[in-house]
């Protein structure tokens, strides 16, 4: 299929994991893809992999200035957007008694503030009929130990998305959320846990998934593309949970 032939799509946090899988999937269906990330080496790898299909831009999600800078760069390139996947985020786990202000600020600035003001900055660049998909998390719905701040930030993001879905609809812009369960991505290596704790945590999480495994980035990306495509034009303000049945237990 070429559902995105002639379309331009932005994927924030698109140099690894779910973001990279989504960028690849969009490009495979004909889209010109704009990818953001923080690591210059990873951005170079995206440029090498996608060639003329991608514009790879360094951007550090979490500030209003960064959001406006990204929008300005996209506008300066003469691009308008048909779909946006707000994927850039951070996941840091800590027992509640160890939570500090720095963890709170990092989580909420990146996951909520960054997403909110990025969407605001992009509004003038969105074509009518554009779709915004926001990456939430199943953690917003389950009480997983050590995830209090991360889960709260994702719950706030999901709530923001539902409000925006109503507010932006008169502009012809749809907003939806995808909330993945556990997915095999590099993010799991960035949780702030030592190797032994990380292995134990992964095993414990896996035991809660009825399918008995983590999901793959490609499985999440396929749902992102569905929500971004014209075929889902009647889906507005919805949250699609892709978690292998984890939230049904």
């Amino acid at each position: 299929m070429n559902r995105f032939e002639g379309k331009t799509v932005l994927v924030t946090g698109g140099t690894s994991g779910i973001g990279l899988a989504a960028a690849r999937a969009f490009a495979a269906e004909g889209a010109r893809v704009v990818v953001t990330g923080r690591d210059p080496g990873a951005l170079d790898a995206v440029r090498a992999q996608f060639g003329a299909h991608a514009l790879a831009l360094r951007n550090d999600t979490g500030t209003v200035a960064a959001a406006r800078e990204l929008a300005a760069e996209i506008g300066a390139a003469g691009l308008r957007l048909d779909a946006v996947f707000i994927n850039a985020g951070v996941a840091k786990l800590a027992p509640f008694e160890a939570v500090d202000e720095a963890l709170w600020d990092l989580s909420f600035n990146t996951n909520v503030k960054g997403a909110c003001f990025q969407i605001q900055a992009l509004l003038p660049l969105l074509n009518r009929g554009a779709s915004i998909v926001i990456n939430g998390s199943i953690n917003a719905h389950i009480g997983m130990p050590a995830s209090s701040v991360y889960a709260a930030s994702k719950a706030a993001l999901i709530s923001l998305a539902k409000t925006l879905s109503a507010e932006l609809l008169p502009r012809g812009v749809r907003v939806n959320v995808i909330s993945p369960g556990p997915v095999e991505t590099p993010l799991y290596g960035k949780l702030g846990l030592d190797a032994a704790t990380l292995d134990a945590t992964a095993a414990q999480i896996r035991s809660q998934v009825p399918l008995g495994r983590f999901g793959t980035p490609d499985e999440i990306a396929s749902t992102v593309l569905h929500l971004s495509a014209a075929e889902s034009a009647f889906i507005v303000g919805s949250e699609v949970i892709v978690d292998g049945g984890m939230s049904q237990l």
Side-chain angles (χ1 to χ4, degrees):
M1 290 189 293
N2 285 295
R3 291 176 290 179
F4 298 94
E5 190 71 42
K7 308 286 188 182
T8 301
V9 177
L10 168 65
V11 179
T12 68
T15 59
S16 66
I18 293 170
L20 180 57
R24 285 173 177 156
F26 278 121
E29 293 207 27
R32 179 172 188 182
V33 183
V34 181
V35 172
T36 73
R38 293 181 298 178
D39 181 353
L43 289 167
D44 286 342
V46 167
R47 294 184 187 104
Q49 180 179 159
F50 287 81
H53 280 288
L55 178 64
L57 302 173
R58 191 181 188 286
N59 190 263
D60 194 356
T61 299
T63 68
V64 176
R68 291 175 177 169
E69 179 183 338
L70 177 59
E73 287 188 271
I74 294 171
L79 301 177
R80 293 184 60 83
L81 300 174
D82 300 289
V84 177
F85 180 31
I86 299 292
N87 171 69
V90 63
K92 296 290 185 182
L93 303 186
F96 184 64
E97 62 270 19
V99 168
D100 57 17
E101 187 176 12
L103 175 60
W104 179 276
D105 288 346
L106 174 65
S107 300
F108 273 80
N109 285 347
T110 306
N111 295 345
V112 186
K113 180 180 177 181
C116 175
F117 287 100
Q118 190 61 80
I119 293 169
Q120 183 189 69
L122 292 171
L123 287 179
L125 301 177
L126 297 178
N127 287 323
R128 190 165 188 85
S131 170
I132 299 173
V133 179
I134 297 176
N135 197 354
S137 173
I138 192 60
N139 287 87
H141 301 285
I142 61 175
M144 191 178 93
S147 72
S148 59
V149 176
Y150 173 66
S153 72
K154 288 296 189 176
L157 187 59
I158 292 167
S159 178
L160 173 67
K162 289 185 177 293
T163 302
L164 291 180
S165 71
E167 191 162 350
L168 300 187
L169 198 57
R171 295 172 174 261
V173 176
R174 294 185 299 117
V175 182
N176 292 288
V177 177
I178 181 169
S179 285
V183 178
E184 293 282 5
T185 75
L187 183 65
Y188 272 86
K190 302 176 183 178
L191 295 176
L193 306 175
D194 60 72
T197 303
L198 186 62
D199 288 344
T201 300
Q204 191 270 336
I205 293 172
R206 194 176 294 110
S207 71
Q208 297 180 49
V209 181
L211 282 179
R213 64 174 178 86
F214 280 41
T216 69
D218 288 339
E219 288 172 325
I220 307 303
S222 66
T223 305
V224 173
L225 263 66
H226 171 63
L227 291 174
S228 301
E231 68 202 41
S232 66
F234 205 57
I235 302 177
V236 179
S238 294
E239 180 188 9
V240 179
I241 294 175
V242 186
D243 69 345
M246 186 178 186
S247 59
Q248 304 306 311
L249 293 179

